[in-house]
Amino acid sequence: MEMTTTTEKCISSSSSSSVHGGNNRREEYPKEGADDDVEAGVLGRDGEAAATTTRQRLVSLDVFRGITVALMILVDDVGGIVPAISHSPWDGVTLADFVFPFFLFIVGVSLAFAYKKVPDKMLATKKAMLRAVKLFIVGLILQGGFFHGIHELTYGVDIRKIRLMGVLQRIAIAYLVVALCEIWLRRVSSGGDIGSGSMLITRYHHQMFVGLVLVVTYLVILYGLHVPDWEYEVTSLDSTVKHFLVKCGVKGDTGPGCNAVGMIDRSVLGIQHLYAHPVYLKTEQCSMDSPRNGPLPPNAPSWCEAPFDPEGLLSSLMAIVTCLIGLQIGHVIVHFKKHNERIKRWSTLSLCLLTLGFSLHLFGLHMNKSLYSLSYTCVTAGTAGLFFVAIYLLVDVKGYKRPVFPMEWMGKHALMIFVLVACNIVPVLVQGFYWKEPSNNLLKLIGIGG
């Protein structure tokens, strides 16, 4: 599988922190400054202190996150069998391509609650930075190559070749930037609550301006930066070293070999620290079994075997934008008390994003997860918004909480599930028990191991 086969299953989570009216119900969340605060916004219930367990939560957030976790596992385990739901080889989107933006969206929503009240901005900033560093380090260990797949019984990684970026690392970056925006870039209300959309924009317009700057910066670099020819080497299993020259010399190319996203990562991070099994290996140009991974065609382009990180530096700018969109959705929950007000504003924003995203795609700015294109950002964020509306209606408005309890539980324990399942920790541990020969292990007995 490609990038997210064990890696793109990022578990962000959301804890929330505000009090809402709506039908005389109180929905309480941890507040910044307490011991049970915003860490749960990234880690789920696993990151929360016991003090929050007695508080009523906005259950739809946990259910949304739990469904996304289940979807993550589904596309990872079934995607190799059903390519239609696996990640798109390049342009276009499939079911799997919505998973990561959904997590970023949930993180943004949670931050609106977690930082509703910030009595000490410097302390809140320090805590946000510390949590981001912790999450980045966890991602570096889990996704940098230290834990191997179920077909290998070894572990450890050569730090000269460790993958520096990854899903959790990108979430850490987006979380930190958006948390700082929420801490520092909002107008303090002079009195009264926000009663209209214009007042909401006025209070948070600096955050929206940051999002606009990120989008413009991304587009200027992607379409305006010159990408020169470049070279790389690949060592095959028989220790043969193959040398490749990729001819580019272009601007604005959005293909796999000559885009600015890959060039920046090769220049800043180093090609040896990028993801070694990029999704474009499933394209017709690079696979005789496309849309599955397969042997290289005889006339395969020179870039086919080059590493490419789908969670790279430039594309992370748009990931932050997804998180910022989620933050604005969270602001609606914080400031508007009635169900119909929330649903109307969420739906309007989401439909506008979907319309913009599909329009951009039709006019040539194609949806592309690996590049995290603008159209992809709009479509996935708009879809997340509408999906959240549907879950909110079902769970928090209609009260159908019991049928979705399994999803709620998964949402509260998202990080644990990611570590144990998505990163192959459980399969590797189980595989360590064998009879006489390592190949005679429990995973092979149940048809999973090789």
Side-chain angles (χ1 to χ4, degrees):
M1 280 223 202
E2 79 288 303
M3 177 251 318
T4 336
T5 322
T6 58
T7 312
E8 163 122 11
K9 305 160 173 191
C10 50
I11 304 312
S12 67
S13 305
S14 63
S15 102
S16 317
S17 69
S18 74
V19 179
H20 310 302
N23 297 341
N24 297 319
R25 293 184 309 141
R26 293 179 61 83
E27 299 163 340
E28 299 187 26
Y29 306 89
K31 299 177 181 179
E32 178 58 29
D35 293 334
D36 55 353
D37 53 9
V38 73
E39 186 164 352
V42 178
L43 305 183
R45 180 72 75 181
D46 297 313
E48 288 188 69
T52 61
T53 60
T54 60
R55 299 183 180 184
Q56 184 179 353
R57 297 163 63 87
L58 191 66
V59 179
S60 51
L61 275 175
D62 288 324
V63 173
F64 187 7
R65 187 170 62 253
I67 292 175
T68 308
V69 170
L71 182 63
M72 172 194 74
I73 297 173
L74 172 68
V75 298
D76 181 61
D77 294 338
V78 183
I81 304 172
V82 185
I85 69 171
S86 185
H87 292 286
S88 174
W90 197 247
D91 287 337
V93 292
T94 64
L95 183 63
D97 296 320
F98 286 88
V99 174
F100 186 34
F102 278 17
F103 281 123
L104 287 170
F105 177 88
I106 297 169
V107 171
V109 173
S110 74
L111 287 172
F113 305 137
Y115 290 108
K116 181 188 176 186
K117 293 184 179 180
V118 185
D120 188 333
K121 291 186 177 182
M122 291 304 299
L123 179 61
T125 300
K126 180 181 178 180
K127 287 186 176 182
M129 294 178 66
L130 181 59
R131 293 186 187 99
V133 169
K134 289 193 295 184
L135 189 61
F136 193 97
I137 292 174
V138 170
L140 196 63
I141 295 173
L142 293 178
Q143 300 170 284
F146 187 85
F147 294 102
H148 297 297
I150 61 176
H151 299 295
E152 302 175 58
L153 291 177
T154 58
Y155 69 93
V157 61
D158 185 345
I159 60 174
R160 296 173 301 173
K161 302 177 181 179
I162 188 172
R163 184 186 176 198
L164 296 177
M165 295 296 289
V167 168
L168 293 181
Q169 293 94 308
R170 171 171 279 182
I171 290 177
I173 294 171
Y175 165 78
L176 178 60
V177 173
V178 175
L180 293 179
C181 285
E182 183 66 358
I183 294 169
W184 294 96
L185 299 181
R186 61 180 179 181
R187 291 185 60 181
V188 179
S189 179
S190 58
D193 204 352
I194 290 177
S196 67
S198 59
M199 293 175 65
L200 193 70
I201 293 173
T202 300
R203 181 165 186 178
Y204 298 107
H205 70 277
H206 289 111
Q207 298 176 2
M208 299 175 189
F209 180 73
V210 169
L212 178 62
V213 169
L214 291 175
V215 170
V216 172
T217 301
Y218 170 84
L219 293 175
V220 168
I221 295 176
L222 178 65
Y223 292 102
L225 199 62
H226 179 265
V227 180
D229 299 345
W230 55 282
E231 302 174 86
Y232 71 99
E233 292 181 345
V234 173
T235 303
S236 59
L237 294 176
D238 60 358
S239 299
T240 302
V241 177
K242 296 185 290 184
H243 184 86
F244 295 94
L245 171 64
V246 182
K247 293 187 177 182
C248 294
V250 295
K251 285 183 181 181
D253 191 284
T254 56
C258 296
N259 59 78
V261 172
M263 185 197 70
I264 290 175
D265 290 337
R266 291 190 297 270
S267 301
V268 178
L269 302 176
I271 195 169
Q272 72 277 15
H273 295 298
L274 306 184
Y275 188 61
H277 307 286
V279 68
Y280 55 63
L281 282 172
K282 299 191 302 180
T283 60
E284 292 183 1
Q285 296 166 288
C286 299
S287 173
M288 296 178 66
D289 297 330
S290 180
R292 294 180 173 87
N293 287 317
L296 287 170
N299 58 342
S302 56
W303 45 260
C304 278
E305 298 184 66
F308 179 90
D309 210 308
E311 279 82 43
L313 298 174
L314 179 60
S315 53
S316 290
L317 298 183
M318 298 306 294
I320 296 171
V321 172
T322 297
C323 202
L324 279 169
I325 293 172
L327 180 67
Q328 306 315 312
I329 294 291
H331 289 154
V332 172
I333 304 175
V334 170
H335 296 293
F336 294 91
K337 313 304 181 183
K338 296 181 180 179
H339 293 314
N340 61 345
E341 288 182 324
R342 295 173 176 177
I343 292 170
K344 180 180 68 174
R345 297 180 190 282
W346 292 339
S347 300
T348 301
L349 175 59
S350 299
L351 289 172
C352 288
L353 287 170
L354 282 172
T355 302
L356 176 59
F358 281 114
S359 299
L360 291 171
H361 181 76
L362 291 175
F363 283 102
L365 275 71
H366 297 299
M367 288 180 273
N368 187 296
K369 183 195 177 302
S370 295
L371 300 179
Y372 218 113
S373 63
L374 177 58
S375 56
Y376 171 77
T377 303
C378 293
V379 168
T380 53
T383 304
L386 291 181
F387 190 36
F388 181 55
V389 168
I391 297 173
Y392 180 80
L393 274 170
L394 178 67
V395 177
D396 287 301
V397 178
K398 300 298 183 181
Y400 294 111
K401 298 180 181 180
R402 185 168 297 178
V404 295
F405 175 76
M407 295 298 101
E408 181 186 356
W409 182 89
M410 291 180 68
K412 292 177 180 178
H413 301 86
L415 184 65
M416 178 187 70
I417 295 173
F418 175 68
V419 171
L420 295 180
V421 179
C423 292
N424 279 334
I425 303 302
V426 168
V428 168
L429 290 175
V430 173
Q431 192 183 33
F433 294 92
Y434 59 86
W435 181 261
K436 292 184 179 180
E437 298 292 335
S439 59
N440 298 325
N441 56 70
L442 292 176
L443 286 184
K444 183 179 181 181
L445 181 65
I446 60 179
I448 297 180

